[in-house]
Amino acid sequence: MSMIARDAEPQSLDSVTHRTNQAPRWLWVTSLLVVSVVVAPLAYITVEVARQPSWGLIWSGRTAELLFNTTVLVAAVTTTATTIGVGAAWAVTRVRLPMPALWTSVLALPLVIPSYVAALAYLAASGPNGMFAQLWSWPVPRLEGLLGSWLALSLTTYPYVFLVSVIALRRMDPSLEEVARSLGKSPLRGFFLVVVGQLRPAIGASGLLVALYTLSDFGAVSLMRYDTFTKAIYAQWAVRIDRTPALTLALVLILLAAIILWIEQRTRGRAEYFTKRPSRPPKRTRLSRRATWAVQGALGGLVVLALIVPISVLIFWLLRGLANDQTLTNVGLAGLRSVTVSGVAALAAAVAAIPVAVLFVRFPSRASRLMERAIWAVYALPHITVGVAILFFTVTLVRPIYQSLLVLIAAYVVLFLPQASGAVETALRQIDPHIEEAGRSMGVGQMRSFLRLTVPLIGRGIASGGALVFLTVMKELPATLLLRPTGYDTLALAIWQQANEGLYTRASSSALVLLAISAVPMFLIATRTIRS
Amino acid sequence: MIDQELAIRVRGLDKAYGNTVALQGFNLDVWEGNLVGLLGPSGCGKTTALRAIAGFERPDHGTIDIHGRRIVDATTFVLPEKRNVGMVFQDYALFPHMSVASNVAFGLPSRDDPRVGEVIEMVGLAGLGTRMPHELSGGQQQRVALARALAPGPGVILLDEPFSNLDATLRDRVRREVRSILREAETTAVFVTHDQEEALALSDVVAVMENGTIVQAATPDELYLNPSTRFVAAFVGDADFVPGVAKQGKVVTPIGTFATALDGNVSVMVRPESVSLAPTENGNATIHDREFFGHDQLYVVRLNDGHLLRARTGPMPILDRHQRVQVSVRTAIAYPNEDSGGHPSSGVPGPTRQVEP
C-alpha cells in the first residue's frame, strides 16, 4: 500500500454556504460509477469466499504459521520504526545540533526507497557473495528471512513516523516543556512526561501507517524469503490457478488490516492535543559536547544504514557489472513502460477524482460520506489482495480484457484514487464556494461556470494529485505483477524478478533508474510538507 | 411611488432546513429603481431570502416574480443564470485567476464588449482593468464585484452584507459611492445588512425581518419615528421601555402620562433624544452615568422606581453623578406587553404626545 498520509483538512469555507441544494444528477452518476469500480473487486472477494469458504485452509497449521510470521514482523517493524522515528524527530527539533535543516532532509530521504529496493540492497551487500565480502572480505552473514525483512522494512518506514513527529513537535507549545523543566524535571524526563504524551496521536497515526505498510508488503518479504500472507497469496496464485485458496488468504489479510485500523481507533483517546499555533518556536536544549556527538553519531549511523549503504550497494553492483562488460539490456524499455503506465494511470485517476471530490466537498450527505469512506477503505487494503480480487474478477466476469493494459490502469485507479481525490478536495476547500454562484448570477450556466471558474482554480490540486499517483504507481509491485500483460515488465517488476534470481547487477541498474525517476520529485513533495 | 412598476414581488415564501425555519410567510415588494435594505439580526433569514430571489435556494412554498415574470412557484424554478439578477457577495467572490476586465467580462458575450470599459469607468476603476484582484484594496475589490454584477445589465441587483468586509474608516465612503453608482445605473437593488445605521442611511425603503418574515417595510424616517412593533422599535435606533397601565385612552407612567388607544399593561418606548433633563431638588430621577462624545452626550438616569432611562442631549448641560433631575419626555409610543412579535392590539400606534406636562 502507499504511504502518503491524507492531507490535514485546511480551514473550510463551507460554513458560509448553505449546503442544502441537491447535487446535479451528472455528478451523482459519474461519482457512483467511479466509486463502484473501486469497490467492485472487494465486493467480489467477499461474495466469492462466502459462497465456497475453504474452512480447511483457514483452520490449517499453514494459516497459523502465516499469522504468526506476519504478526511478528508487523510488531517488530512498527516498534522499531516508531522508536527510531520519534527519537530522530526529537533530536532534530529539540536538541541544539549543527545544521538541523540538513539533518531533517537527509533523515527523511529513505522515504523514497521502495522496500524491495532496500531488500535488494541488503541482500546484495551481505553474505559470502555480497559487497562487504567482495570489497573488504567482511564476513557479514546473509541478511534474509525475518532479520532481513525487519531491517529493510524498518529502515524504509521510519521516515513516516519521523516526518509526522517533526511536524507535531514543531506545532507543540514549548511552554509545556518549560513547565516540566521549572518543576524540576531533566530535559529527557520532561520529554517523556510531557512531549511523548502529546505526540500520541501523531505516533498512533504514523505507527498505523507503518503497520499497514508492513502487513501489505510483498516485495521485501518475497525477496527475503520470509513467509507472510502476501507471499503465500502470490504463491497460491503462481502454483495453481484454483482461485479459492488465494482469495481466502486475501480475505484473512483484509481482516488483519481491519483489526489494525480498529485498534488504532480504539486507542486514540479523546484529548485535544495540539495547540493551534505556538506563540514562539520550540527551544532547543543544549547538550554537553559529548552528548551532542553521541546524538550526531546515532543519527549518522541511521543515515549510513538506511541511505548510504543501500545506494552504495546499488552503485557498486552497477560499476562491477560495467567493469565486467555485462550488458544492461532492457532497462530503457522497462523505464519507458513504467513512465507510460504511470502517466496514463495518473491522468485517469486525476480525471476520476474530479467528480468524486466535488461531490464530497460541495454536496456532503450521508451517501457521499459513505462513498468517501469506501474509497479510503480500499486504499488501506494490501495491494496484493486488491490485485488478486481484480485478477479473478476479470478472469471470471470480463474475460476479454484479462491481462490487458486497461485492467492494469483501472487497478491503479482503484488503488490510488484517494491520493488524487484528496488533493482535489484540499484545493476545492481552499476556493470560495461563492465563485460558481457569482458566475451563474452573471448568466453563465452551471457546467460552464464549473469549467471556466472552478477547474482552473483547482488545476494545481488536480496536477499535484496526479503527480502523487504517478510516483506511487512507478514503484507499485504486487498488483502490477498479477495484472500486467504477459511480458510487460516495468522497472519495479524488473527489479523484483532480477533480484529474485540473484542478478544483482541488472537489478541494481533498474533500481537506480527507478530512484532517479521517482525519488527526486517524491523528496521534493515530502520536504515541502515539512516546511509548511 | 404608487404609479411605479413593481420590480420584485415575493409572496408567502417558506424555507426550512430540517427543524430550522429560515423563512416563514416572507412577503416583499420592491419598486422599480428603489434601493431596499433588508435589515434584521443574524439568523433571521435575510440571506436566505436574498439567495432565494437569486435562485441559489429553492423555497419550500411561495412565489417570486421579477418584472412581472414568474420565476418561482410550486412548479416553476428558473435557474439562477436565467433570472437576469446580479449578485454581489459578502466576500466579493472575485475570480482570483482573472484580471479585473476578465472578471467584468465574464457575464458578457465577448471579452471585447465595450460594456466592460464602460462599467469599469462607472465604478471609478478606469485604468485598472489589467490588475488582478489580489492587487486591489478592499474598497476596489468591492467595486469590481459591483461592476461585474452590473455589466450584463441585470434587472435587479442583490447585495449580501456588501460593506461588512470593509474597515470602519472606509465603510462610510464606499457606502456613499455604491449608492451613487446604483443611482447612476438606475438599477433596482436589494441589500442585506444587520447594521441598522447602514440600512437607514442607504435605503429608500427598509424592510425589517424577524424570525423569517418581514415585520415592517417603510421609509427610513417612517420606520424610525413610527415602528410598528416593540421589536422594530428596539432594533432600529436606541429605545428604552418604561412600564405603565393604560385605560380610557391614557397611559400613566413615572415619566408622564401619554395618549394611547391600548388597554391594560403596556410598555412605553422612549427614544433618548426625546428625553430632556432639568436639574431640580425634587426631580423624579438621579444621574446614574454619563458618556461625553463632544457633539452630544448620553446620560443614563435612574428613575425613582429604579428603571434606567437614556437621554441624549447636546454638549450642555453638565450634570454630576447622583444629581437629582426632572425627566420630561416629548414623544413616546405604547406597545402591548404581551407583545410576542405581533402587532399592537389596536392597530398601528401613532406617536403620542404627552397629554399632561
Side-chain angles (χ1 to χ4, degrees):
Chain A
M1 73 161 262
S2 168
M3 307 278 299
I4 299 303
R6 212 174 160 180
D7 284 309
E9 293 221 334
Q11 240 200 337
S12 163
L13 281 165
D14 285 1
S15 52
V16 299
T17 48
H18 299 247
R19 305 198 284 188
T20 51
N21 287 339
Q22 276 291 309
R25 191 166 298 146
W26 62 268
L27 197 59
W28 271 113
V29 171
T30 44
S31 303
L32 271 173
L33 194 73
V34 170
V35 173
S36 31
V37 168
V38 173
V39 178
L42 184 66
Y44 171 76
I45 273 204
T46 320
V47 169
E48 196 70 0
V49 175
R51 227 172 44 178
Q52 32 181 183
S54 33
W55 296 112
L57 179 63
I58 292 179
W59 300 119
S60 68
R62 175 76 179 138
T63 304
E65 187 195 340
L66 292 176
L67 192 61
F68 178 77
N69 284 353
T70 307
T71 313
V72 167
L73 183 65
V74 168
V77 170
T78 308
T79 315
T80 315
T82 309
T83 313
I84 296 178
V86 174
W90 175 72
V92 300
T93 55
R94 292 295 195 269
V95 177
R96 203 171 290 186
L97 291 176
M99 298 181 291
L102 183 70
W103 275 118
T104 310
S105 303
V106 171
L107 284 164
L109 251 178
L111 181 80
V112 303
I113 302 180
S115 67
Y116 53 89
V117 171
L120 156 70
Y122 293 129
L123 282 170
S126 62
N129 197 23
M131 180 184 81
F132 290 123
Q134 289 192 31
L135 279 183
W136 303 295
S137 313
W138 289 356
V140 182
R142 191 167 160 80
L143 290 169
E144 57 181 1
L146 175 60
L147 184 68
S149 308
W150 167 73
L151 199 65
L153 286 165
S154 299
L155 293 177
T156 47
T157 53
Y158 86 82
Y160 296 105
V161 183
F162 173 73
L163 283 174
V164 172
S165 304
V166 164
I167 294 167
L169 280 164
R170 288 202 184 143
R171 274 200 279 172
M172 210 172 278
D173 190 344
S175 329
L176 295 168
E177 281 159 84
E178 287 162 10
V179 169
R181 295 293 298 280
S182 75
L183 294 172
K185 307 293 180 205
S186 71
L188 204 63
R189 265 184 71 72
F191 175 75
F192 277 109
L193 290 171
V194 178
V195 179
V196 173
Q198 283 191 89
L199 273 181
R200 234 215 61 58
I203 296 173
S206 53
L208 165 83
L209 221 57
V210 170
L212 281 175
Y213 187 101
T214 309
L215 186 71
S216 46
D217 178 74
F218 167 74
V221 294
S222 59
L223 290 181
M224 291 290 182
R225 314 251 185 270
Y226 183 66
D227 258 353
T228 62
F229 273 105
T230 53
K231 186 164 169 284
I233 291 169
Y234 177 70
Q236 284 291 350
W237 172 79
V239 173
R240 44 183 160 161
I241 293 301
D242 178 14
R243 78 189 71 146
T244 322
L247 286 178
T248 308
L249 290 178
L251 199 64
V252 175
L253 187 54
I254 289 173
L255 290 178
L256 283 181
I259 290 172
I260 291 178
L261 284 164
W262 179 77
I263 290 174
E264 201 273 336
Q265 294 252 311
R266 281 297 301 267
T267 55
R268 192 175 282 164
R270 292 202 315 273
E272 276 283 338
Y273 289 93
F274 294 127
T275 45
K276 285 277 182 277
R277 200 160 279 273
S279 44
R280 56 216 153 83
K283 231 170 116 188
R284 294 169 182 277
T285 313
R286 184 196 289 277
L287 297 179
S288 71
R289 263 176 81 122
R290 229 197 219 156
T292 310
W293 278 112
V295 168
Q296 290 193 80
L299 295 181
L302 182 58
V303 171
V304 166
L305 267 184
L307 192 67
I308 295 177
V309 165
I311 303 288
S312 320
V313 173
L314 298 180
I315 293 175
F316 165 78
W317 279 96
L318 177 66
L319 294 178
R320 187 177 168 278
L322 290 175
N324 294 347
D325 284 334
Q326 215 168 322
T327 48
L328 300 174
T329 46
N330 288 341
V331 175
L333 181 61
L336 191 67
R337 284 173 176 159
S338 282
V339 171
T340 310
V341 286
S342 307
V344 176
L347 200 68
V351 171
I354 297 171
V356 174
V358 172
L359 185 76
F360 295 169
V361 172
R362 288 289 153 80
F363 304 98
S365 64
R366 196 169 294 172
S368 77
R369 270 187 289 273
L370 198 70
M371 288 160 72
E372 190 175 15
R373 216 165 287 163
I375 67 167
W376 280 95
V378 172
Y379 184 63
L381 294 181
H383 291 178
I384 193 134
T385 62
V386 178
V388 162
I390 294 176
L391 179 77
F392 289 125
F393 182 81
T394 47
V395 169
T396 338
L397 300 175
V398 273
R399 192 66 192 241
I401 59 165
Y402 171 62
Q403 280 211 334
S404 68
L405 279 179
L406 180 69
V407 173
L408 189 61
I409 302 289
Y412 291 142
V413 175
V414 167
L415 286 169
F416 304 120
L417 181 64
Q419 287 187 345
S421 66
V424 179
E425 282 174 52
T426 306
L428 268 173
R429 288 207 175 85
Q430 278 163 351
I431 66 170
D432 185 343
H434 288 146
I435 290 252
E436 266 176 59
E437 292 184 349
R440 298 188 70 190
S441 74
M442 293 165 76
V444 177
Q446 186 170 32
M447 196 66 191
R448 259 169 69 81
S449 291
F450 177 72
L451 290 176
R452 282 184 60 196
L453 300 175
T454 308
V455 170
L457 288 171
I458 60 173
R460 282 184 66 151
I462 298 172
S464 69
L468 213 53
V469 173
F470 178 87
L471 296 172
T472 320
V473 171
M474 278 296 292
K475 46 182 201 172
E476 206 286 333
L477 177 64
T480 315
L481 182 62
L482 292 175
L483 298 171
R484 84 211 140 107
T486 313
Y488 196 88
D489 290 351
T490 60
L491 275 178
L493 216 65
I495 297 167
W496 182 78
Q497 282 175 335
Q498 291 153 352
N500 226 355
E501 291 161 29
L503 305 171
Y504 294 148
T505 295
R506 289 188 185 178
S508 298
S509 58
S510 306
L512 285 168
V513 174
L514 177 68
L515 288 181
I517 301 177
S518 75
V520 178
M522 201 72 186
F523 177 68
L524 291 178
I525 291 181
T527 46
R528 210 175 50 192
T529 321
I530 336 181
R531 257 183 237 121
S532 60
Chain B
M1 225 189 276
I2 302 301
D3 52 339
Q4 275 175 317
E5 198 200 330
L6 205 51
I8 305 176
R9 183 176 185 274
V10 182
R11 285 293 175 273
L13 233 50
D14 292 341
K15 175 82 190 174
Y17 303 104
N19 291 327
T20 321
V21 173
L23 294 176
Q24 201 167 23
F26 178 89
N27 299 323
L28 180 68
D29 285 334
V30 178
W31 298 94
E32 185 68 47
N34 264 4
L35 178 52
V36 172
L38 207 51
L39 172 69
S42 61
C44 73
K46 53 195 192 300
T47 294
T48 306
L50 201 72
R51 289 174 58 84
I53 298 170
F56 298 123
E57 302 288 339
R58 186 170 192 159
D60 303 329
H61 301 105
T63 63
I64 304 175
D65 302 82
I66 294 181
H67 290 117
R69 171 182 168 220
R70 175 60 48 97
I71 56 166
V72 172
D73 61 24
T75 55
T76 316
F77 185 78
V78 176
L79 292 175
E81 58 267 28
K82 308 277 185 216
R83 292 190 179 190
N84 198 23
V85 169
M87 178 119 176
V88 174
F89 291 84
Q90 184 174 8
D91 50 19
Y92 314 143
L94 297 182
F95 309 140
H97 57 310
M98 294 183 184
S99 67
V100 168
S102 302
N103 263 278
V104 172
F106 191 81
L108 298 171
S110 146
R111 262 221 57 173
D112 310 317
D113 203 301
R115 179 86 180 137
V116 176
E118 210 175 283
V119 268
I120 289 180
E121 203 183 310
M122 185 198 255
V123 298
L125 291 177
L128 299 185
T130 54
R131 292 275 186 92
M132 297 302 279
H134 67 89
E135 297 170 327
L136 301 176
S137 70
Q140 289 171 325
Q141 291 182 6
Q142 155 79 271
R143 281 184 277 172
V144 175
L146 189 58
R148 191 177 68 173
L150 286 168
V156 176
I157 292 240
L158 308 175
L159 305 98
D160 186 10
E161 298 271 5
F163 310 107
S164 63
N165 273 349
L166 299 170
D167 56 54
T169 47
L170 204 59
R171 201 173 302 156
D172 288 355
R173 211 191 72 212
V174 175
R175 209 190 270 171
R176 277 193 294 275
E177 284 169 0
V178 166
R179 185 168 143 112
S180 67
I181 292 167
L182 290 173
R183 284 265 156 81
E184 194 192 332
E186 296 174 350
T187 320
T188 309
V190 180
F191 73 102
V192 152
T193 180
H194 61 270
D195 181 345
Q196 43 108 358
E197 213 178 285
E198 189 168 292
L200 294 179
L202 212 55
S203 320
D204 297 314
V205 171
V206 178
V208 181
M209 274 189 82
E210 186 192 11
N211 298 330
T213 194
I214 286 180
V215 278
Q216 187 176 11
T219 59
D221 41 310
E222 169 74 7
L223 195 73
Y224 186 78
L225 297 173
N226 203 359
S228 66
T229 71
R230 190 186 156 134
F231 167 79
V232 175
F235 193 70
V236 178
D238 293 331
D240 290 310
F241 293 88
V242 177
V245 180
K247 55 183 169 204
Q248 293 158 3
K250 282 192 287 189
V251 52
V252 181
T253 73
I255 47 171
T257 302
F258 304 93
T260 180
L262 299 173
D263 229 16
N265 287 333
V266 297
S267 289
V268 174
M269 189 276 286
V270 180
R271 298 266 188 222
E273 66 271 16
S274 72
V275 177
S276 41
L277 306 175
T280 151
E281 275 308 305
N282 44 11
N284 57 359
T286 56
I287 301 293
H288 179 69
D289 203 357
R290 169 184 179 233
E291 282 176 86
F292 188 75
F293 300 108
H295 49 76
D296 64 354
Q297 54 182 337
L298 190 70
Y299 281 103
V300 181
V301 298
R302 185 188 290 279
L303 301 178
N304 285 345
D305 66 354
H307 276 93
L308 295 177
L309 195 67
R310 284 171 293 179
R312 194 177 294 280
T313 72
M316 296 291 277
I318 293 167
L319 303 167
D320 294 330
R321 242 166 89 81
H322 305 304
Q323 188 167 341
R324 195 151 273 285
V325 290
Q326 180 65 37
V327 170
S328 53
V329 173
R330 283 183 294 277
T331 58
I333 300 177
Y335 295 96
N337 254 359
E338 55 284 347
D339 187 312
S340 51
H343 295 273
S345 53
S346 57
V348 180
T352 47
R353 306 265 153 213
Q354 196 163 350
V355 286
E356 286 160 27

